[in-house]
Amino acid sequence: GNSVTQMEGPVTLSEEAFLTINCTYTATGYPSLFWYVQYPGEGLQLLLKATKADDKGSNKGFEATYRKETTSFHLEKGSVQVSDSAVYFCALVRLGYSTLTFGKGTMLLVSP
Amino acid sequence: NAGVTQTPKFQVLKTGQSMTLQCAQDMNHEYMSWYRQDPGMGLRLIHYSVGAGITDQGEVPNGYNVSRSTTEDFPLRLLSAAPSQTSVYFCASSGGRPNEKLFFGSGTQLSVL
């Protein structure tokens, strides 16, 4: 079956630091990959996605590249802000069913 | 444009009580699903539907029932609530096209005492 593994948190950074959150997956076929973000007290918002190998998804300064050879989809940002503090979820879609398999989430805390 | 609407936002139940979590979407999406979020566990799929009249079990279906009589609505029923069902519940919908994102509701926080 499908599974997603992402690094445990919390990840604590100072403002303007470089961010990497690791995500690896196991799946049948080549599903689309997603990063969702959950701000405190809110629901999930799509941050970015990639639909095929070597695709790079990007949004709000965040990037992730779909790496088929390493089955990875690591999230990166060059300079984090306090407002980026949230929980980040890596996920993949079950093709044909539109359901998601999520990683356990990584909390990011950014201090001024 | 309301998107995916979940009600209630908060609910406290006693063990053994029943209740229905409501989920409605106004985007004419065929695909809908329910997830629960627990600390350190991420989100796990409870039940899903690929269209009106069609439902199936996800990863953690025990203790929950669903039905899909209309395209718009996908209620989640707890027949006899247990403390292990204390969680935050999210409903999601999608048009089902390849690579399309899921739209999430704002969640229902449920406590079972």
Side-chain angles (χ1 to χ4, degrees):
Chain A
N2 295 340
S3 67
V4 175
T5 303
Q6 61 181 106
M7 61 189 291
E8 293 189 20
V11 173
T12 304
L13 296 173
S14 297
E15 205 165 25
E16 300 184 0
F18 184 85
L19 168 71
T20 299
I21 300 177
N22 291 336
C23 171
T24 57
Y25 66 91
T26 302
T28 303
Y30 303 104
S32 294
L33 301 173
F34 302 84
W35 278 100
Y36 279 84
V37 58
Q38 185 178 34
Y39 297 102
E42 298 185 9
L44 281 80
Q45 303 176 25
L46 178 66
L47 180 60
L48 55 83
K49 70 176 184 180
T51 60
K52 60 184 185 296
D54 299 325
D55 254 6
K56 178 184 283 188
S58 61
N59 186 26
K60 299 181 181 179
F62 291 89
E63 294 182 340
T65 301
Y66 191 141
R67 300 289 188 197
K68 185 177 68 173
E69 63 277 10
T70 55
T71 61
S72 64
F73 192 54
H74 306 321
L75 183 68
E76 297 181 335
K77 186 175 186 183
S79 177
V80 295
Q81 305 300 312
V82 172
S83 57
D84 293 327
S85 297
V87 180
Y88 292 81
F89 293 94
C90 184
L92 61 83
V93 69
R94 184 182 177 198
L95 296 173
Y97 296 87
S98 281
T99 59
L100 292 172
T101 299
F102 287 89
K104 294 184 178 181
T106 302
M107 179 178 289
L108 170 66
L109 301 171
V110 181
S111 57
Chain B
N1 191 355
V4 180
T5 303
Q6 288 184 241
T7 56
K9 291 190 179 301
F10 303 94
Q11 183 70 49
V12 179
L13 293 177
K14 295 181 180 179
T15 296
Q17 287 185 316
S18 63
M19 81 158 295
T20 300
L21 279 63
Q22 302 291 344
C23 176
Q25 51 89 12
D26 61 359
M27 296 173 282
N28 201 31
H29 284 168
E30 290 295 321
Y31 296 77
M32 297 185 74
S33 47
W34 277 101
Y35 301 82
R36 60 177 288 173
Q37 182 180 19
D38 301 295
M41 298 295 293
L43 283 85
R44 293 178 291 171
L45 180 66
I46 305 172
H47 284 284
Y48 64 96
S49 170
V50 299
I54 306 169
T55 64
D56 206 346
Q57 297 180 351
E59 180 185 357
V60 288
N62 292 341
Y64 307 95
N65 280 349
V66 293
S67 60
R68 185 94 181 273
S69 57
T70 67
T71 299
E72 294 77 19
D73 300 299
F74 191 42
L76 179 71
R77 298 184 184 85
L78 285 70
L79 298 180
S80 179
S84 60
Q85 294 178 304
T86 294
S87 188
V88 181
Y89 292 84
F90 289 98
C91 179
S93 75
S94 165
R97 290 184 296 277
N99 312 319
E100 183 180 356
K101 74 173 186 179
L102 273 67
F103 293 80
F104 283 85
S106 58
T108 294
Q109 186 168 317
L110 176 67
S111 294
V112 183
L113 307 178

